Amino acid sequence: MTPAELKLPPIGEPLLEVNGLAKRYGTKLAVNDVSLSIPRGSIYGFLGPNGAGKTTTIRCLMDIILPDAGTMTLGGLPLERRLRDRIGYLPEERGLYRKMTCQDQLAYLAQLKEVPRREALLRAEQWLERLGLSEYVKRKVDNLSKGMQQKLQVAATFIFEPDLVILDEVFSGLDPLNIELMRDLILEEKAKGTTILFSTHMLAEAERLCDAVCLIEGGVKILDGPLDSVRAAFPFRVVRVAYRDGKEPPADLPGVLDRRLDERTWRLELAPDQDPQALLAPLTAAGELSFFSANRPTLSEIFLTAVRRRRADVSGEGSPS
Amino acid sequence: MNKVMIVVRKEYLERVKSKAFLIGTLIGPVLMGAMILGPTLLADVAGDQDRTVAVIDHSGEVLDQLRAMLVDLDEEHVTLEALDCGSDVDGCLEELKSLVLGEGADAGLVIPADYYDRPELTFYNTAASAIVLREDSLEPALNRILRAERFRRHDLDPAIQSELMARSSWESRHLTEESDSEQSGEVGIIGGIMMVMIIYFMVLVYGQQNLTVVIEEKSSRMVEVLLASLRPEELMMGKVLGIGLAALTQVAVWTLAGVVAAGQGVAVAGSQIDLSVFGPWFWFNFLVFFLLGYFVYASLYAGIGAMCNSVQDAQQFSGTLTMGMVLPIMLMMLIIKTPDQPLATVLSLIPLFSPILMFMRISVSNPPLWQVVLSWVLLVLTIWWASRTAGRLFRAGILLYGTSPTWGSLARAMRG
């Protein structure tokens, strides 16, 4: 039941756009001039460490808190309450009515998203079946294990067939089996054309799923865009080495931008045009290697690099010279 | 369906279908009746407590008359135990005192030798409850003895004497435009008090449910899920209305049962209360003050609940609010005695008090129409203010986890 005015853009065109969003708590800027563009039909990762401002941004999107500045549009229309009925939201702080039956629970939440009662009850039953919880239709939520309850919460988010789904820290607290299940669900919904925005601090998980990402830290957007172009913007290689006697790699290696000890191996960040193979000779000349690897940077490495560069920029701008 | 109505439907059905509601509906009237009629009925059943009074009668003649008079006055539960003093007056008094101090007697009484000339009595007691014995039993009896003796001294004709000693008897008839019905004023007051108590209980019990429901919703982390679908104000309105509807259902069931029972010839809540003395105006006001009172308190309780994380947290704030209901109950005697004095008028116009006090005035007196209407208007304005304030508290507090509010943070949130 898309409101008549909402015309969904073609797949790949921006569905949700956020411009200059800001939210201040007291003296602390929780979100500072964040702009996002989320293409329809994509899985969009909203990434950053805990306290980066992800949840605040999402709550502004859902009109749960009022932003101090910024505009938000869905399909080109200002994001009013009515349009939020097209958005499914699974908050990080999520619960269920323990005394309600599973079917009533899902149907109630569907009704609140404008699904007529009969239809809502029917869909609730179908979803419970899909999740392998058919026997719990008429039973109270209390009878469900924690994993099952999480499935029910996810079902409640998708049951009204939203155009956009926002999942806040959806993987946190899940065991590997349920992470797998959640990943499958997200991919299934994406295949149906649903746009999914999910926030997480688990960058490895995001890397596996996302088509596009946005990284924020301290309320400020560090970088965003399709995953490929983000990678392209950070074309450096990462070499990790360790010596049998634990010594440091030589300091005068060619094309090394950054050199630091990271989890018992030395992490060397290479300039984009530096061939990792060329390092092998000087490294082995210095001692007996116990470990050597050369990779494209992971998302979390890109993130760390971007944060470091940004901090360097900021302090550079701030100095009197 | 409107989203508020979906919440109303859920909250209403959840309550009405619960066992607690069924039990409350069944035993509510029993409890209420017991609270109002219980003390009177119990006193009747238990009768008066047997009391022993140790008496030193220096006159030598008053004691016997007192015994006879107590029988005449139906005060046979009072036993008089005479102390024979002889010449040892001081020792005798000591004996009386030790009897009163011990288990021997509930009180002591010393009648002077010249009682008929100087009726100065000394009453010894250890507990304040003995005053009832003095005022209800001994004093009337001894006064009558004194009067009879003084009449006798003046040689009054016994016929005139008994005429002078006569007491008045009373019958009250409740006057309405249509008729006058045989009804003592006291019974009307009891009926009025009963209806006031229904407002009091229902507003408190159901109003406070809004507090616990909101806190539960926060602690079950359900609230943010819901806020993705509806505004905090809508969520609050749905809850307040749904719970209020359940309260109204309960009152409707009781009223209906009362009407049916009365139709069957069974008096409501014991034979003493006849609610038929109250006309449509009374019942209309009952409904108005019940509903308005509920909405004022329910929205404020809900707002407090939104700011707090546990019922314990909420106690200091909700307790203060509850005083708005409790204070008028404490002032009820004042209203019954002087329903139309300026003090009662002013108090009954204060919005937090008027559901109890204005309604009490309506049931024991006939306050001017403008005052009643003014109290409605003030209540409606208060509800408008309270729901806006509660909406603000809701928005400010609903996602606050972990921090307990203070009066300061509450005030800031109320200003929005």
Side-chain angles (χ1 to χ4, degrees):
Chain A
M1 271 219 312
T2 306
E5 316 93 287
L6 179 59
K7 297 270 188 294
L8 295 175
I11 298 281
E13 294 297 309
L15 172 66
L16 175 72
E17 287 187 285
V18 177
N19 261 305
L21 189 77
K23 176 70 189 176
R24 181 185 290 277
Y25 290 118
T27 55
K28 193 190 162 233
L29 256 176
V31 176
N32 186 0
D33 192 24
V34 167
S35 300
L36 304 171
S37 174
I38 291 147
R40 181 174 168 220
S42 66
I43 299 182
Y44 192 95
F46 191 39
L47 314 174
N50 290 322
K54 302 189 296 286
T55 299
T56 303
T57 305
I58 288 171
R59 283 179 175 168
C60 288
L61 283 174
M62 293 314 294
D63 189 33
I64 288 168
I65 52 182
L66 301 170
D68 297 325
T71 57
M72 297 170 271
T73 58
L74 188 70
L77 297 172
L79 190 50
E80 289 166 3
R81 256 289 153 180
R82 222 166 11 90
L83 286 183
R84 288 188 169 92
D85 283 345
R86 302 307 317 142
I87 306 178
Y89 174 43
L90 186 62
E92 187 179 6
E93 296 279 4
R94 48 188 180 251
L96 292 165
Y97 288 119
R98 311 184 63 84
K99 299 290 171 204
M100 250 178 155
T101 67
C102 295
Q103 188 186 21
D104 285 348
Q105 176 87 66
L106 286 181
Y108 177 59
L109 293 171
Q111 275 182 280
L112 287 176
K113 290 288 193 185
E114 306 284 357
V115 179
R117 194 172 137 71
R118 279 172 189 281
E119 173 72 16
L121 286 167
L122 192 71
R123 281 197 212 169
E125 216 171 325
Q126 288 165 349
W127 262 96
L128 288 165
E129 205 167 313
R130 178 172 170 189
L131 295 172
L133 298 172
S134 305
E135 60 199 290
Y136 290 97
V137 172
K138 297 284 176 204
R139 296 181 66 182
K140 286 186 179 159
V141 173
D142 252 350
N143 295 312
L144 298 181
S145 70
K146 201 168 168 235
M148 291 174 182
Q149 290 188 17
Q150 280 163 340
K151 287 187 196 177
L152 205 62
Q153 286 159 344
V154 175
T157 316
F158 285 103
I159 192 167
F160 62 100
E161 295 170 358
D163 296 316
L164 170 68
V165 167
I166 300 176
L167 307 169
D168 195 5
E169 292 290 356
V170 71
F171 296 112
S172 66
L174 293 190
D175 59 47
L177 221 63
N178 277 310
I179 289 184
E180 196 60 47
L181 184 102
M182 185 68 69
R183 204 183 290 131
D184 292 348
L185 257 169
I186 290 175
L187 289 171
E188 266 173 59
E189 291 299 321
K190 182 206 162 163
K192 288 190 204 164
T194 313
T195 311
I196 291 152
L197 165 68
F198 78 94
S199 85
T200 183
H201 64 278
M202 294 156 81
L203 298 186
E205 207 52 61
E207 201 163 6
R208 293 178 59 178
L209 272 172
C210 293
D211 304 312
V213 294
C214 167
L215 292 175
I216 72 166
E217 200 242 352
V220 180
K221 182 168 81 178
I222 306 292
L223 58 88
D224 68 337
L227 203 55
D228 294 340
S229 57
V230 167
R231 284 226 174 85
F234 292 83
F236 63 86
R237 296 281 191 133
V238 172
V239 165
R240 286 174 179 273
V241 292
Y243 284 96
R244 211 167 278 291
D245 54 7
K247 72 163 141 182
E248 279 185 39
D252 56 350
L253 292 166
V256 172
L257 302 174
D258 185 65
R259 170 173 161 281
R260 63 182 68 220
L261 186 62
D262 175 33
E263 289 176 12
R264 276 180 265 169
T265 64
W266 281 86
R267 178 183 178 280
L268 309 174
E269 200 178 301
L270 307 192
D273 54 357
Q274 175 66 44
D275 180 6
Q277 296 290 332
L279 290 182
L280 261 173
L283 282 170
T284 43
E288 196 187 342
L289 283 176
S290 65
F291 183 85
F292 178 90
S293 75
N295 293 91
R296 299 193 72 74
T298 61
L299 202 48
S300 78
E301 280 170 328
I302 290 178
F303 182 50
L304 288 172
T305 307
V307 170
R308 268 200 298 276
R309 280 187 197 167
R310 190 176 167 280
R311 284 183 186 157
D313 283 355
V314 169
S315 59
E317 279 164 20
S319 65
S321 66
Chain B
M1 198 168 22
N2 182 317
K3 289 179 179 183
V4 173
M5 290 319 290
I6 294 169
V7 179
V8 169
R9 186 176 183 279
K10 174 195 169 274
E11 293 295 334
Y12 177 73
L13 289 180
E14 203 169 274
R15 280 191 170 63
V16 174
K17 282 180 180 171
S18 73
K19 282 197 193 86
F21 185 83
L22 183 70
I23 294 169
T25 309
L26 289 179
I27 67 169
V30 177
L31 275 181
M32 210 114 50
M35 277 194 56
I36 295 159
L37 294 178
T40 330
L41 289 179
L42 277 179
D44 279 359
V45 170
D48 290 310
Q49 190 181 334
D50 282 335
R51 300 278 196 174
T52 307
V53 182
V55 183
I56 298 173
D57 181 13
H58 293 301
S59 73
E61 52 182 315
V62 175
L63 184 61
D64 291 336
Q65 291 194 51
L66 182 58
R67 278 212 175 92
M69 186 58 78
L70 285 174
V71 174
D72 276 0
L73 292 176
D74 261 347
E75 299 283 348
E76 282 138 317
H77 63 281
V78 181
T79 311
L80 301 177
E81 196 171 318
L83 295 183
D84 196 5
C85 290
S87 55
D88 182 13
V89 176
D90 288 344
C92 193
L93 193 59
E94 284 312 310
E95 191 186 340
L96 178 132
K97 284 179 183 169
S98 67
L99 269 175
V100 175
L101 281 172
E103 297 284 302
D106 296 292
L109 179 67
V110 178
I111 303 171
D114 52 351
Y115 174 69
Y116 297 126
D117 299 316
R118 291 176 50 236
E120 287 162 9
L121 298 150
T122 314
F123 186 68
Y124 295 89
N125 64 81
T126 52
S129 67
I131 299 297
V132 179
L133 177 67
R134 193 192 85 190
E135 292 195 338
D136 289 359
S137 309
L138 299 177
E139 208 174 296
L142 282 162
N143 284 346
R144 286 174 80 84
I145 293 167
L146 180 64
R147 226 176 302 151
E149 173 58 23
R150 293 207 172 163
F151 288 155
R152 201 186 51 72
R153 283 189 187 172
H154 291 280
D155 244 354
L156 275 177
D157 184 326
I160 296 174
Q161 261 188 52
S162 72
E163 220 171 305
L164 285 172
M165 303 280 279
R167 288 193 287 182
S168 55
S169 92
W170 290 75
E171 182 196 13
S172 296
R173 300 184 76 81
H174 184 76
L175 204 56
T176 57
E177 296 290 344
E178 296 82 36
S179 65
D180 60 328
S181 56
E182 203 172 319
Q183 186 71 61
S184 80
E186 197 178 318
V187 171
I189 286 176
I190 291 179
I193 291 177
M194 192 175 88
M195 300 317 286
V196 168
M197 290 313 262
I198 288 181
I199 290 185
Y200 173 75
F201 279 119
M202 297 305 275
V203 169
L204 272 191
V205 168
Y206 280 87
Q208 284 179 340
Q209 277 192 29
N210 287 278
L211 178 101
T212 41
V213 156
V214 171
I215 289 176
E216 270 169 26
E217 202 122 308
K218 281 183 79 174
S219 59
S220 70
R221 299 293 189 263
M222 208 41 215
V223 88
E224 199 171 348
V225 176
L226 294 172
L227 291 188
S229 304
L230 70 180
R231 289 192 181 87
E233 297 82 4
E234 290 176 315
L235 179 60
M236 190 193 79
M237 191 49 69
K239 291 196 173 299
V240 168
L241 283 176
I243 294 171
L245 217 55
L248 199 62
T249 305
Q250 199 158 53
V251 172
V253 169
W254 289 340
T255 312
L256 221 68
V259 169
V260 170
Q264 298 287 313
V266 183
V268 184
S271 58
Q272 278 190 301
I273 294 175
D274 180 3
L275 295 172
S276 64
V277 289
F278 299 116
W281 175 241
F282 174 86
W283 291 109
F284 175 71
N285 273 292
F286 171 72
L287 203 64
V288 168
F289 283 108
F290 167 62
L291 289 177
L292 295 184
Y294 169 77
F295 280 115
V296 169
Y297 281 89
S299 35
L300 288 174
Y301 278 123
I304 291 173
M307 290 293 289
C308 302
N309 294 302
S310 68
V311 178
Q312 287 88 327
D313 251 16
Q315 216 107 63
Q316 57 166 324
F317 309 111
S318 66
T320 309
L321 181 58
T322 305
M323 284 314 287
M325 287 297 279
V326 175
L327 270 177
I329 292 290
M330 290 160 71
L331 294 170
M332 212 154 71
M333 272 335 274
L334 172 91
I335 300 293
I336 292 173
K337 279 185 178 157
T338 60
D340 301 312
Q341 291 293 304
L343 182 63
T345 306
V346 169
L347 286 173
S348 67
L349 285 172
I350 296 173
L352 283 181
F353 295 169
S354 54
I356 300 286
L357 292 187
M358 185 56 82
F359 181 63
M360 189 74 226
R361 285 182 65 202
I362 290 168
S363 61
V364 299
S365 170
N366 292 299
L369 184 64
W370 70 266
Q371 290 182 6
V372 178
V373 174
L374 179 62
S375 76
W376 296 345
V377 172
L378 289 175
L379 268 173
V380 169
L381 286 176
T382 310
I383 290 171
W384 175 80
W385 171 83
S387 55
R388 271 174 53 103
T389 305
R392 285 211 191 98
L393 292 177
F394 227 82
R395 229 176 225 281
I398 202 77
L399 293 173
L400 283 181
Y401 295 119
T403 50
S404 319
T406 59
W407 284 105
S409 65
L410 206 65
R412 271 195 301 282
M414 279 165 85
R415 284 198 299 272

